[in-house]
Amino acid sequence: MSASKPSAEDHSRLLRDYADATEQFRATNEVLTALGRSTSDPDAVLDTVVESARRLCRGQTAAIYLIEGGAFRLASSVGLSQEYVRTVTEFPMEVNRGTVIGRAAVERRIQKVSDVLTDTEYMRSDVQQTGGIRSSMSAPLLLDGEVVGGLSIFRTKVDPFDDREEALLEAFAAQAAVVVHNVHLVRALEERGAELARRVEQMQALSDVGQMVGSSLVLDEVLSNIIKNAVRFSGCDGGSVMEYVDEERCLTVRSAYASSPELLARLRSTRIELDSTLVGRAAREGHPIAVPNLDLVDLDPHLQVLYDDGWRSVLAVPVLRDGRIIGALVVRRRTPGEFPEETLEFLETFASQSAMAVDNAQLFRELQQKSAELQVMSQHKSDFLASMSHELRTPLNAVIGFSEVLLERLFGELNDKQDEYLRDILNSGKHLLALLNEILDLSKVEAGRMELEISTVSVPAAIEHAISMVRERAARHRITINSSIEETIDQIESDELRLRQVLVNLLSNAVKFTPDGGRVDVTAEPVGNELVITVRDNGPGIAPDDWEPIFESFQQGRRGPPSEEGTGLGLTLCRKIMTLLGGRIWLESEVGVGSAFHVGMPFERTVAEVRTGEGENVDGRRSVVVIIDDDRATLELLTAYLVGTGVQVVRARDGIEGLDEIRRRRPVAVVLDIRLPGIDGWAVLDALRSDETTRDVPVIIVSILDEKSRGLALGAAGYLTKPVSRDDLIEALRNVKVLSA
């Protein structure tokens, strides 16, 4: 028996089923394709879902709602009128059985209503009327077992949805749930990304503050950068930074950002007390205090100034360092509103970081003030030392000079006791002079007023001069002094006077601390690009702990009895002089073996040259030397110095008398003091140089004032600083060819 052929009706149904299946497949493919790009455009995916659901389920409209705050919020729709959208937006449908979609959420399964007008539970007639809803079907959107929304379709005429359409809606609801899940993930990721971006910006702001700590110590500059960053990263409209004045228990506005000059002036003139203002309370309690709306609080003087300028919300953050109030940050907005918790946390951290910058800047400002005060004190000290020098040098000049004259037997023989006492007087005077010179030299170096006279210096001659200065004392204690100078070393560019001063000090110390019968060795040799002069002794040595302190003022190290003579300033002065000369000084020593002090000076190369003899001799005729000085003892001393030299001495007690004698006598040289009654020595020197008849007369200045550079610049032929020895004066006159060698 053969099978019957399908009827026309069956054939039509098969074609319809095939078309439906094809349409469903196409719609599913569209949704899946949209899902692939859901992370970049989730709203477009929802639009694809609702459009496909409406088309396949043959509804007039379709909509997806998400639950927010216990009500449905329209997320995507197709076919809805503007009036319907406005109604469900202004009056959202609640999650209850009063609507089909609410019922689906409550039941957690698809709900179908053939005609909402006959449904006794349906409560939203306004929604039904604006949308013209008759047959309706809704499915819940389930995410991890939780209802997060719903997919709803309705028709504007009574035409119940069949099982096939129910199955399709369930599939589309599942797809929509996936999209919602992705939306949640994307939003969470975006929020996390935004949070990370904010954190990065905040960290950058904190880093900027850290850089400010090291890049600037100018307080106003630091404060300006701090408040600018605080306003920027808190999202406010303006702000100010305050400094705490402990003595007055108040805060003062130091800098402001996004504030008018008038507002800044008013803020700076307002007394912001610690005990009676909002900012003061934040500082006292040690935590931020926010005022979301200034209209709702009592205004203190500071807040009143801000309110009058149009500010409506304020946040005060204390700036603390180790529990100590440094100041405060105040950020403000033109509109009222709460400050986010994260803003409070960030600004609290920001203020803590800023405290270091503010504290460092304050300390630097105090240091500058102290430095200025110390500079004034240093000037007072220098003035005092200069005054003391002037007062002491004149009597010292007489003590030392007359002692030398008497010891040279220029006025008769001395008995042994007289000779002994005079030598004690001479040595004591020289010791006092050495102390005075070292103190003054150290003061000059520290004040930056020591002038160097760089010239070509003979190294062997400088060493020989230093040895000659200590040879007599060394001989008394049977100490042998040896010198060894590398053959290639002859000259170096330096200050001859200061170099000799350093070498004499080192040799004096070596002889002083070397036991009787010992030895002192002086060597000079090139080491790399330096000339190194070493003074070595076999004294008691110096412990390593004393190597550095021995170069400090008034320190001699533990290498001799406390009564050992010395000022403790020599090595300090030597180090400072060597620093000025671009060199260095250092020590090597071993207790019980001896010490070696090294002086290193940079030089490009040494030059071996033929050493010349002294200059031409002058003729032996008797000549006149005019000495101008207002001190009787000095006149007597300088006159005594020239006894036996063959010159005639003419003395004057002031500048005017001296000029008269010079013009009348036509001397071969003038010995001139600076501090004179009437006109001073500078005026006398200027007058001599301005007169053609006296312009060529050599002038030797002998003064307690140490102004050699000025004297030579004004035309003096020589400059000696009191006290002056006979040898110094004779040498100066020889240099100007007045006396023969």
Side-chain angles (χ1 to χ4, degrees), residues 198-270:
R198 286 193 298 271
R199 293 296 182 185
V200 168
E201 288 184 345
Q202 292 173 358
M203 291 299 295
Q204 182 61 48
L206 294 176
S207 175
D208 291 344
V209 174
Q211 291 178 358
M212 281 186 284
V213 173
S215 64
S216 176
L217 288 173
V218 180
L219 184 58
D220 288 337
E221 182 179 338
V222 171
L223 296 178
S224 176
N225 285 329
I226 286 173
I227 191 57
K228 179 172 69 175
N229 281 299
V231 171
R232 173 187 172 192
F233 289 104
S234 64
C236 293
D237 303 319
S240 55
V241 60
M242 303 178 184
E243 183 182 10
Y244 179 61
V245 183
D246 191 26
E247 299 81 4
E248 302 180 12
R249 288 184 64 80
C250 71
L251 295 112
T252 59
V253 174
R254 289 297 303 267
S255 183
Y257 181 71
S259 303
S260 65
E262 294 77 17
L263 174 61
L264 181 57
R266 291 188 61 194
L267 288 173
R268 285 177 170 171
S269 64
T270 301

Side-chain angles (χ1 to χ4, degrees), residues 136-325:
S136 179
M137 178 173 61
S138 295
L141 302 185
L142 295 172
L143 185 58
D144 295 331
E146 180 183 356
V147 179
V148 296
L151 174 57
S152 176
I153 296 177
F154 65 82
R155 293 170 178 160
T156 57
K157 61 181 181 178
V158 178
D159 184 7
F161 294 93
D162 58 26
D163 293 341
R164 184 187 65 83
E165 293 164 339
E166 180 181 340
L168 286 172
L169 186 65
E170 186 175 17
F172 284 121
Q175 293 169 347
V178 172
V179 176
V180 171
H181 177 64
N182 287 346
V183 168
H184 286 179
L185 291 177
V186 169
R187 287 178 178 172
L189 184 61
E190 289 175 346
E191 291 175 359
R192 182 61 176 165
E195 174 66 17
L196 287 174
R198 286 193 298 271
R199 293 296 182 185
V200 168
E201 288 184 345
Q202 292 173 358
M203 291 299 295
Q204 182 61 48
L206 294 176
S207 175
D208 291 344
V209 174
Q211 291 178 358
M212 281 186 284
V213 173
S215 64
S216 176
L217 288 173
V218 180
L219 184 58
D220 288 337
E221 182 179 338
V222 171
L223 296 178
S224 176
N225 285 329
I226 286 173
I227 191 57
K228 179 172 69 175
N229 281 299
V231 171
R232 173 187 172 192
F233 289 104
S234 64
C236 293
D237 303 319
S240 55
V241 60
M242 303 178 184
E243 183 182 10
Y244 179 61
V245 183
D246 191 26
E247 299 81 4
E248 302 180 12
R249 288 184 64 80
C250 71
L251 295 112
T252 59
V253 174
R254 289 297 303 267
S255 183
Y257 181 71
S259 303
S260 65
E262 294 77 17
L263 174 61
L264 181 57
R266 291 188 61 194
L267 288 173
R268 285 177 170 171
S269 64
T270 301
R271 185 176 178 83
I272 306 171
E273 296 184 351
L274 189 68
D275 300 317
S276 59
T277 62
L278 174 81
V279 180
R281 178 185 158 201
R284 290 196 324 270
E285 297 180 1
H287 62 79
I289 298 179
V291 180
N293 192 340
L294 290 177
D295 286 312
L296 305 179
V297 298
D298 294 331
L299 302 178
D300 60 44
H302 169 244
L303 296 181
Q304 186 67 57
V305 171
L306 296 180
Y307 185 85
D308 293 342
D309 198 63
W311 302 91
R312 289 299 176 264
S313 54
V314 170
L315 172 61
V317 184
V319 178
L320 308 174
R321 183 80 188 274
D322 297 328
R324 178 168 52 91
I325 300 173

